[in-house]
């Protein structure tokens, strides 16, 4: 029987792509999600792509009883834990919800895992743990800090995991620090659904391309970058997903805990992304320049060397592929997208 993997948050943007990679790699993933930020329609898409039934449990990671019930089925080689809240502005206005979901969820999950004798864990961390980076590209050894409650939960989670791994050697843990995930699956059937709630760049550009927003507000034109707009390390969602399977394999093969950046090592500015998306979609993306967004950093680019050394991971897909795949997904999920803007 194939090894089962519990995939918390598996119905979300990143989790749904990891699900596909796990199936392709011969694992038997079980999605565990409360659907607080996911649409059940994603399950049909996953079924259509894989041509197999999707094993899904609708429950909360703060519910230890439900976690114990699913883990008691047995055969779990590990857990990939993505379930969390992720909006920076929401975390500023509702910090307790973030502590409860992101920290409470992790604590409850680890207890249920330990009770079931499952001690391999891949954890979704973020480049947000670097706060305002001291150096760019950013190596894993850079200092850590937080600038908002969401970032605090990721930093505190990493620290909790480190203390547990030090005290209880039965744990093997892969902490993956994502830079800026973007793009959609090559099928065009899944990707990040742009909504008013999301404040990230790609969903905002998508909303302009769809005619849902009149123009993109570019926050900051006076940064120390080639065109004055902020620079980020955008990583294609399919590359990011592949990193999780490599991390899991490493934990299964030799139990080697690791904490690595998942990025490309290459930065693109906000204006570069805007132009690349306009080219890939054939849509005009009007924009307006505005002051810097509070809390933003000028440049955030990964040093990707450690992930290559430790996991054999290297991101391969370009910004053009991120834009093209996003547009392909929007055309499929929003009929008439081409004429919308
Ligand atoms: P997402 O919101 O699309 O996915 C998260 C999923 O978790 C959703 O399906 C949601 O319904 C579920 N969920 C949330 N709270 C839950 C709970 N208490 N119990 C059960 N399910 C719950 O977000 P995503 O972009 O796929 O992010 C996944 C993970 O990656 C998160 O931990 C996030 O913090 C981290 N991350 C994301 C980014 C990014 O830019 N998207 C960057 C760095 C880190
Ligand atoms: C943000 C979060 C980070 C989180 C990540 C994933 C902040 C400060 N950081 O990263 O903690 O892990 O999302 O959820 O919020 N931009 C525009 N116009 C827009 C939207 C964005 O110009 O309409 C710019 C931003 O000002 C920024 C860049 O695009 O300079 C990237 O923004 P975004 O996609 O929100 O990601 P980060 O800020 O890097």
């Amino acid at each position: 029987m194939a090894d089962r993997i519990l995939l918390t948050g598996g119905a979300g943007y990143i989790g749904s792509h990891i699900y596909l990679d796990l199936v392709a790699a011969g694992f038997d993933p079980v999605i565990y999600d409360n659907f607080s930020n996911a649409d059940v329609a994603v399950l049909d898409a996953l079924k259509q792509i894989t041509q197999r039934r999707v094993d899904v449990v609708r429950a909360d990671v703060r519910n230890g009883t439900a976690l114990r019930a699913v883990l008691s089925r047995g055969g779990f080689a590990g857990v990939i834990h993505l379930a969390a809240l992720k909006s920076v502005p929401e975390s500023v206005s509702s910090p307790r919800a973030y502590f409860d979901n992101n920290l409470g969820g992790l604590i409850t999950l680890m207890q249920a895992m330990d009770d079931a004798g499952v001690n391999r864990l891949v954890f979704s961390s973020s480049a947000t743990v670097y706060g305002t980076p001291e150096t760019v590209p950013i190596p894993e050894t850079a200092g850590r800090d937080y600038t908002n409650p969401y970032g605090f939960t990721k930093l505190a989670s990493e620290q909790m995991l480190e203390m547990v791994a030090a005290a209880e050697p039965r744990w093997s843990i892969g902490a993956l620090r994502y830079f800026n995930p973007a793009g959609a699956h090559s099928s065009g059937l899944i990707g990040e659904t742009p909504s008013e709630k999301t404040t990230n760049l790609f969903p905002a550009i998508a909303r302009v391309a769809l005619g849902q927003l009149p123009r993109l507000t570019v926050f900051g034109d006076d940064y120390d970058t080639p065109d004055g707009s902020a620079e980020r390390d955008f990583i294609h969602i399919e590359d990011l997903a592949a990193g999780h399977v490599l991390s899991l394999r490493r934990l299964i093969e030799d139990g080697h805990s690791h904490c690595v950046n998942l990025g490309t090592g290459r930065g693109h500015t906000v204006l570069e992304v805007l132009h690349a998306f306009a080219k890939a979609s054939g849509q005009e993306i009007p924009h307006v320049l505005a002051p810097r967004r509070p809390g933003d950093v000028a440049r955030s680019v990964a040093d990707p060397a450690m992930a290559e050394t430790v996991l054999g991971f290297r991101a391969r897909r370009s910004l053009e592929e991120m834009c093209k795949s996003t547009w392909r997904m929007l055309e499929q999920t929003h009929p008439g997208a081409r004429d919308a803007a």
Side-chain angles (χ1 to χ4, degrees):
M1 212 174 73
D3 278 339
R4 285 195 171 123
I5 304 297
L6 190 69
L7 187 58
T8 79
Y13 170 47
I14 300 171
S16 54
H17 290 81
I18 297 174
Y19 175 89
L20 294 175
D21 263 29
L22 286 171
V23 171
F27 289 103
D28 187 8
V30 178
I31 291 178
Y32 186 100
D33 201 300
N34 68 0
F35 290 84
S36 57
N37 195 35
D39 187 341
V40 285
V42 75
L43 303 175
D44 290 331
L46 296 179
K47 187 174 171 199
Q48 193 179 330
I49 298 167
T50 57
Q51 293 294 305
R52 54 175 255 171
R53 193 182 75 86
V54 180
D55 199 346
V56 55
V57 176
R58 186 177 193 136
D60 198 290
V61 278
R62 291 163 295 177
N63 180 345
T65 310
L67 282 169
R68 267 181 279 276
V70 60
L71 289 169
S72 71
R73 291 188 202 170
F76 283 93
V79 175
I80 301 182
H81 178 46
L82 299 110
L85 300 178
K86 63 161 183 177
S87 160
V88 170
E90 188 182 65
S91 79
V92 173
S93 56
S94 308
R96 281 188 297 111
Y98 277 67
F99 303 153
D100 189 21
N101 253 277
N102 298 7
L103 297 177
L106 178 61
I107 293 166
T108 306
L109 173 68
M110 289 188 94
Q111 185 61 53
M113 287 175 65
D114 204 37
D115 292 347
V118 178
N119 296 99
R120 288 190 198 101
L121 176 64
V122 176
F123 174 71
S124 291
S125 191
S126 165
T128 192
V129 300
Y130 295 118
T132 304
E134 299 154 352
T135 46
V136 177
I138 314 171
E140 286 80 355
T141 48
R144 291 182 294 185
D145 200 359
Y146 61 89
T147 53
N148 53 66
Y150 166 75
F152 169 78
T153 67
K154 290 295 174 188
L155 177 52
S157 296
E158 280 197 4
Q159 292 172 325
M160 277 163 33
L161 293 170
E162 287 158 13
M163 290 178 208
V164 170
E168 301 172 352
R170 61 186 174 277
W171 287 90
S172 51
I173 296 170
L176 307 180
R177 294 177 177 161
Y178 313 158
F179 278 68
N180 290 60
H185 188 253
S186 57
S187 64
L189 292 175
I190 58 167
E192 187 170 26
T193 313
S195 82
E196 275 172 45
K197 238 181 90 182
T198 47
T199 51
N200 296 115
L201 181 62
F202 262 78
I205 293 181
R207 294 188 67 220
V208 178
L210 290 172
Q212 296 175 358
L213 276 181
R215 65 193 69 81
L216 180 79
T217 305
V218 174
F219 298 120
D221 65 351
D222 57 353
Y223 287 113
D224 185 15
T225 59
D227 61 25
S229 64
E231 186 181 350
R232 295 288 181 275
D233 185 337
F234 296 94
I235 173 167
H236 194 292
I237 188 71
E238 292 198 62
D239 283 330
L240 187 76
H244 291 73
V245 176
L246 291 172
S247 171
L248 188 64
R249 281 233 166 93
R250 188 79 219 254
L251 299 183
I252 292 172
E253 274 160 22
D254 62 9
H256 179 94
S257 289
H258 47 268
C259 176
V260 299
N261 290 336
L262 291 184
T264 66
R266 166 130 206 245
H268 290 288
T269 66
V270 171
L271 286 170
E272 266 183 79
V273 175
L274 185 154
H275 295 308
F277 199 95
K279 189 169 172 215
S281 64
Q283 304 294 303
E284 239 187 279
I285 313 285
H287 72 277
V288 57
L289 299 176
R292 297 178 180 192
R293 191 171 68 175
D296 275 352
V297 299
R299 301 177 64 220
S300 169
V301 178
D303 178 338
M306 174 118 65
E308 179 152 19
T309 308
V310 175
L311 303 180
F313 172 81
R314 193 198 282 222
R316 299 186 184 281
R317 296 167 177 86
S318 64
L319 176 64
E320 186 188 359
E321 285 170 277
M322 298 176 218
C323 296
K324 279 190 170 160
S325 59
T326 301
W327 184 242
R328 191 179 312 126
M329 181 271 298
L330 292 173
E331 283 188 307
Q332 301 224 22
T333 50
H334 295 73
R338 190 159 281 282
D339 317 311

